[in-house]
Amino acid sequence: MKTYIKIILVFTLSILSVSCENKLDIDPSQSLTTEDAFDTPEKVTNILIGAYAQAGQAASYGGQLYTIAELLANDQELKWNGTFTDPGEFNNKVINTDNTFVANLWLNGYDISNQANIVLDNLDVFENLDRRNSVEGQAKFLRAVTYFDLVRFFSKHNNNRINDGEPGVPIIRTPIITLEDVTYPSRNTIGEVYEFVINDLEDAIVLLPETNGVFASTNAAKALLARIQLQIGNYEAARDLSNEVIQSGRFLITENLDDAYNNDDNSTEDIFAWQVTDSDGANSMNTFWATDRFGGRPGNPDISIEDAFFGIFDDFNDLRASYFYVDSETGSGIASYKWILGNANIPFIRLPEMHLIRAESNFILGTAIGTDPINDVNLVRFRSNAFLLSDLTYVDIILERLKELAFEGHKLHDFKRLEVPIGALSFDDSRLVLPIPQREINVNPNLLPQNDGY
């Protein structure tokens, strides 16, 4: 029976209290107080499920995080048609410190982190070691996911460790349950945040099972760590981790492009996806990226695809170049088929990304761990009916990332790590970094200094 557990968790960096409603298959309904909320494995596991649900909200991995990244990275490939002010600020690269999307991304991130911290602080209730390890690994995976994106959005790019000493985001390791637990931390350095995230994922890789249903597995932790190592320029680690995920044999690139998106269940290539159900999770990508025929807003999709985007394709037989539609009866612009179902899961880490990470890392290092880089790139191209390359350049690999991972939140971070300008803006322009929300600074002046340009 589908019922509701309301777990009252006092947390905030600034507001001092929030509550999180988790929908779980538990009977009967019950209200948990702070005195008894953590005294059994089932209750702690429920809080972990709540952390997944919180991550799947629209404010972050339910879609707005990807939309922020894509609009910030936009250089005439996209057009913002929407009426909401806040997303338009990302597209224009002029962001106010009271932008609600920014504030909600920050708060939701720390909500996820706090629930993960609560789980990690109550592991002693588990007598079964395997179950304890899995719960601990999942909590550390979710915490790592959150801090990785918080530091990428709210701090400068680490720039091959040059900016390690620059302000990052506050790391909070202990749970906040009551008002007495609230602290007012300063910002940790970028280097400290990356070290924290990498340590969490290294622990998660050891603790998690190889398969774990829709929840985080050791392969999901390896895949995320491969993404992180690529971001900071550690190509050897990125290569080896992506190779391990590929070699696990647990995942397979889908035969058809349609099978990779708009799924109720994970596809064969989903290493990890955010789950969207009738009771949990959200898919705001559908809201902003689809036309009203598929559940988006009336008229044009809020974000339409412009002609400039299609210049990255070298073969218009490539199915990814035609994975779009126009609702001519409403006069809509071009929309992507990736986000046409509002109740579909949101892919987070797909197998093609691992092949492209391995290809790029092998190319940079002059190695062929797993296979030659051209084979990885051609494997991704083959699914989309693009002609197979006979020779490979570094630009080919990056263009393949832009084609395969389009509209999934990667371009901004790729251009930063590759030091590629976005339009007239340098990769390290302050306008490509989100401001610390002003309401957070008002309550906690220790968050100063504010990011440059705000």
Side-chain angles (χ1 to χ4, degrees):
M1 164 178 184
K2 183 75 75 173
T3 57
Y4 300 82
I5 289 185
K6 184 168 287 187
I7 305 174
I8 305 303
L9 303 174
V10 178
F11 167 76
T12 186
L13 204 57
S14 61
I15 298 179
L16 305 183
S17 66
V18 297
S19 67
C20 172
E21 186 173 7
N22 306 320
K23 293 89 171 174
L24 304 168
D25 289 311
I26 291 179
D27 187 22
S29 300
Q30 53 187 307
S31 179
L32 304 180
T33 68
T34 55
E35 287 77 21
D36 65 3
F38 324 123
D39 60 358
T40 70
E42 291 71 27
K43 292 175 183 177
V44 174
T45 301
N46 290 346
I47 296 169
L48 176 66
I49 300 297
Y52 280 104
Q54 192 71 24
Q57 296 304 302
S60 53
Y61 299 100
Q64 288 182 17
L65 179 148
Y66 308 96
T67 296
I68 292 170
E70 291 295 333
L71 290 176
L72 278 177
N74 181 32
D75 177 24
Q76 302 181 57
E77 302 94 353
L78 305 174
K79 182 180 179 183
W80 171 251
N81 304 302
T83 56
F84 292 120
T85 301
D86 293 339
E89 292 181 357
F90 306 126
N91 190 52
N92 295 329
K93 319 298 191 283
V94 179
I95 306 167
N96 290 310
T97 58
D98 62 352
N99 184 292
T100 57
F101 276 50
V102 173
N104 291 338
L105 177 62
W106 177 279
L107 285 174
N108 200 56
Y110 280 101
D111 281 349
I112 300 162
S113 172
N114 191 56
Q115 292 186 54
N117 285 337
I118 291 170
V119 171
L120 294 170
D121 199 51
N122 289 277
L123 293 171
D124 288 345
V125 300
F126 291 91
E127 295 181 359
N128 182 289
L129 182 60
D130 288 341
R131 188 176 178 189
R132 173 187 169 128
N133 286 346
S134 177
V135 168
E136 180 180 358
Q138 291 175 72
K140 289 189 171 182
F141 173 85
L142 290 170
R143 191 167 67 174
V145 166
T146 298
Y147 276 102
F148 177 46
D149 279 317
L150 285 173
V151 78
R152 289 202 294 177
F153 279 102
F154 289 98
S155 307
K156 296 177 180 178
H157 174 54
N158 81 312
N159 198 18
N160 293 317
R161 310 304 297 265
I162 293 173
N163 288 331
D164 269 5
E166 295 284 330
V169 295
I171 298 172
I172 301 177
R173 294 177 170 84
T174 56
I176 297 174
I177 308 300
T178 67
L179 295 178
E180 288 73 22
D181 298 327
V182 174
T183 59
Y184 299 91
S186 301
R187 297 170 68 176
N188 289 84
T189 67
I190 292 172
E192 288 170 339
V193 177
Y194 272 106
E195 181 181 6
F196 179 66
V197 167
I198 290 169
N199 286 340
D200 262 0
L201 285 175
E202 288 177 341
D203 288 347
I205 288 169
V206 175
L207 292 164
L208 287 168
E210 190 163 351
T211 60
N212 200 20
V214 299
F215 302 109
S217 66
T218 186
N219 284 306
K222 288 179 181 179
L224 179 60
L225 187 52
R227 180 186 290 180
I228 292 168
Q229 298 290 8
L230 184 74
Q231 188 73 40
I232 62 177
N234 189 347
Y235 294 104
E236 184 174 356
R239 177 199 64 193
D240 293 346
L241 286 159
S242 57
N243 182 60
E244 288 179 25
V245 175
I246 295 166
Q247 298 286 4
S248 73
R250 296 283 180 181
F251 311 99
L252 182 68
I253 293 179
T254 62
E255 183 176 350
N256 300 307
L257 194 59
D258 276 339
D259 294 335
Y261 302 101
N262 301 301
N263 295 311
D264 293 332
D265 300 311
N266 287 359
S267 77
T268 59
E269 68 180 45
D270 282 328
I271 300 168
F272 186 81
W274 301 104
Q275 304 297 303
V276 178
T277 69
D278 291 339
S279 56
D280 269 327
N283 189 333
S284 72
M285 294 299 286
N286 176 259
T287 302
F288 295 114
W289 293 77
T291 65
D292 58 353
R293 175 158 63 108
F294 292 114
R297 302 176 72 224
N300 280 311
D302 277 5
I303 302 173
S304 58
I305 318 303
E306 297 294 287
D307 290 343
F309 168 76
F310 299 96
I312 63 176
F313 289 94
D314 54 4
D315 180 359
F316 277 87
N317 290 316
D318 188 332
L319 296 176
R320 295 168 300 185
S322 58
Y323 205 58
F324 302 92
Y325 64 96
V326 175
D327 282 336
S328 57
E329 66 273 16
T330 62
S332 75
I334 300 172
S336 171
Y337 273 120
K338 284 189 175 183
W339 310 113
I340 59 172
L341 293 183
N343 59 351
N345 292 344
I346 296 182
F348 181 57
I349 309 176
R350 298 187 294 114
L351 185 60
E353 182 187 354
M354 293 298 104
H355 282 283
L356 295 173
I357 288 176
R358 187 172 71 174
E360 183 177 349
S361 301
N362 268 323
F363 189 94
I364 290 291
L365 296 170
T367 57
I369 298 299
T371 190
D372 190 274
I374 196 170
N375 294 331
D376 273 325
V377 172
N378 278 336
L379 183 64
V380 175
R381 291 174 66 87
F382 178 79
R383 192 263 299 277
S384 296
N385 198 39
F387 67 78
L388 302 186
L389 302 176
S390 57
D391 59 273
L392 187 70
T393 68
Y394 191 50
V395 172
D396 291 328
I397 298 172
I398 301 307
L399 286 173
E400 205 60 37
R401 285 185 63 88
L402 291 174
K403 287 177 274 194
E404 180 63 31
L405 304 176
F407 323 129
E408 297 178 37
H410 292 272
K411 181 187 170 184
L412 174 68
H413 308 299
D414 277 342
F415 275 37
K416 286 185 176 184
R417 70 179 177 86
L418 296 168
E419 302 186 4
V420 175
I422 294 175
L425 302 182
S426 170
F427 78 96
D428 58 356
D429 194 288
S430 60
R431 284 168 285 185
L432 300 176
V433 178
L434 300 182
I436 305 299
Q438 187 59 47
R439 70 186 187 188
E440 305 299 316
I441 291 176
N442 290 344
V443 171
N444 179 17
N446 293 330
L447 291 173
L448 293 171
Q450 174 62 278
N451 289 330
D452 294 343
Y454 296 102

